[in-house]
Amino acid sequence: METKVQCLVVDDEPLAIRLLKMHLSKFGTVEVAGAVENAVDAIDFLNTHKVDLMFLDIHMPEMKGTELLRSLKNPPAVIFTTAYRQYALEGYDLSVLDYLVKPISFGRLTQAVEKYFAYHIQGRSKFLRKAEKSEEFLYLQERSFIHKIPLIEIVYAESMGDNLTFYLNDRNITSRCTVSSVEEFLSQNGFLRIHRSYVVSLKRITSFGPVSVFIGKKELPIGKTYRKNVLEQLNYKAFFNK
């Protein structure tokens, strides 16, 4: 039996909660794990339950939904539910999945749920996809755009807080995700984590030493906790044992 997507509904209007729960009950792949009426209770719930998707109201007492989202280190996927259209741009800045304006119809909610499955389920993680002919690539969300990035184009990735910037052949893309969320997949496809903030393409390393690697003229540090593994992967000692 497939695991259902675990949802949390956060809204200070009991009627809005009931309507969302009624709509969501029609999806066989979705389960409402909890429903709370304020941001504080939402934080408590998120700390004790696994949540894949959060339906989040914006205007709530004490703390707005936008403030709640900014305070979370590793938030689940978020769909804003609000009566106010003017927060749509801020929602996209926070990389929310969708923005639903109340009253929310079942048809519009269905579109949002399908978007979740399209971006977050059909692959090994919410970022990873496999194309035809086994070409590996990532789907990366940057603001309101989804970019399809072949792995061969990625030079290295740099973590900056809750964001990860991917340096490509001809451009950079910053996505709201962490190194750990993509590290396993990248490491299986020719990438190496050399620092808590850096993952590099092994093919792009042009020179290296005990404390850093170079990609062309760009020098990147090797973190102390990663040094042993990095030097082993690069076979560093073999060059001095001849």
Side-chain angles (χ1 to χ4, degrees):
M1 182 176 179
E2 292 187 2
T3 302
K4 293 184 178 181
V5 174
Q6 299 298 300
C7 299
L8 172 64
V9 177
V10 185
D11 200 306
D12 64 333
E13 299 177 14
L15 183 59
I17 290 178
R18 286 200 296 272
L19 180 61
L20 263 180
K21 290 176 71 174
M22 182 184 71
H23 284 334
L24 291 170
S25 68
K26 298 174 183 177
F27 294 93
T29 52
V30 172
E31 182 175 25
V32 178
V36 297
E37 297 184 9
N38 59 72
V40 174
D41 287 345
I43 292 172
D44 287 341
F45 192 92
L46 290 169
N47 284 334
T48 54
H49 296 78
K50 178 185 179 297
V51 173
D52 303 303
L53 176 61
M54 179 164 60
F55 292 89
L56 180 60
D57 187 21
I58 293 180
H59 271 277
M60 294 185 294
E62 297 182 7
M63 182 186 289
K64 289 183 178 180
T66 50
E67 295 172 325
L68 167 63
L69 184 51
R70 292 183 191 279
S71 73
L72 299 176
K73 256 191 171 181
N74 296 298
V78 171
I79 294 174
F80 273 149
T81 58
T82 178
Y84 302 89
R85 295 179 181 274
Q86 64 265 34
Y87 294 98
L89 183 59
E90 185 176 4
Y92 284 124
D93 284 340
L94 289 168
S95 297
V96 299
L97 189 63
D98 210 335
Y99 190 98
L100 305 183
V101 179
K102 299 175 182 177
I104 300 168
S105 68
F106 178 70
R108 183 64 184 87
L109 179 65
T110 298
Q111 291 178 358
V113 172
E114 287 179 347
K115 187 179 292 187
Y116 171 83
F117 279 97
Y119 296 156
H120 293 252
I121 297 298
Q122 295 172 359
R124 276 170 277 185
S125 81
K126 64 182 179 180
F127 306 105
L128 311 180
R129 303 292 185 274
K130 185 182 288 288
E132 298 81 7
K133 298 180 181 178
S134 299
E135 176 193 2
E136 296 286 357
F137 63 91
L138 303 179
Y139 268 151
L140 296 173
Q141 181 177 351
E142 184 179 48
R143 295 182 181 273
S144 58
F145 294 94
I146 304 298
H147 301 274
K148 176 183 174 181
I149 310 298
L151 294 188
I152 196 171
E153 290 189 11
I154 300 175
V155 181
Y156 69 96
E158 179 181 7
S159 173
M160 294 175 283
D162 293 332
N163 294 319
L164 193 58
T165 296
F166 290 81
Y167 293 85
L168 312 178
N169 292 335
D170 57 355
R171 56 189 166 137
N172 303 336
I173 292 177
T174 298
S175 185
R176 188 181 176 85
C177 61
T178 61
V179 174
S180 58
S181 65
V182 295
E183 181 185 1
E184 181 179 356
F185 176 77
L186 291 177
S187 67
Q188 295 172 358
N189 290 278
F191 289 80
L192 179 64
R193 188 169 187 177
I194 63 169
H195 187 277
R196 64 194 298 260
S197 299
Y198 296 104
V199 176
V200 303
S201 169
L202 287 167
K203 294 179 180 179
R204 302 303 186 102
I205 295 175
T206 52
S207 60
F208 56 90
V211 297
S212 64
V213 303
F214 279 84
I215 298 176
K217 295 181 179 180
K218 180 69 177 180
E219 182 178 16
L220 299 175
I222 299 174
K224 289 183 179 179
T225 56
Y226 298 89
R227 188 166 298 159
K228 183 177 183 294
N229 180 59
V230 170
L231 297 182
E232 286 178 355
Q233 292 294 318
L234 295 175
N235 205 19
Y236 179 77
K237 290 183 178 180
F239 293 95
F240 300 94
N241 293 331
K242 296 180 180 180

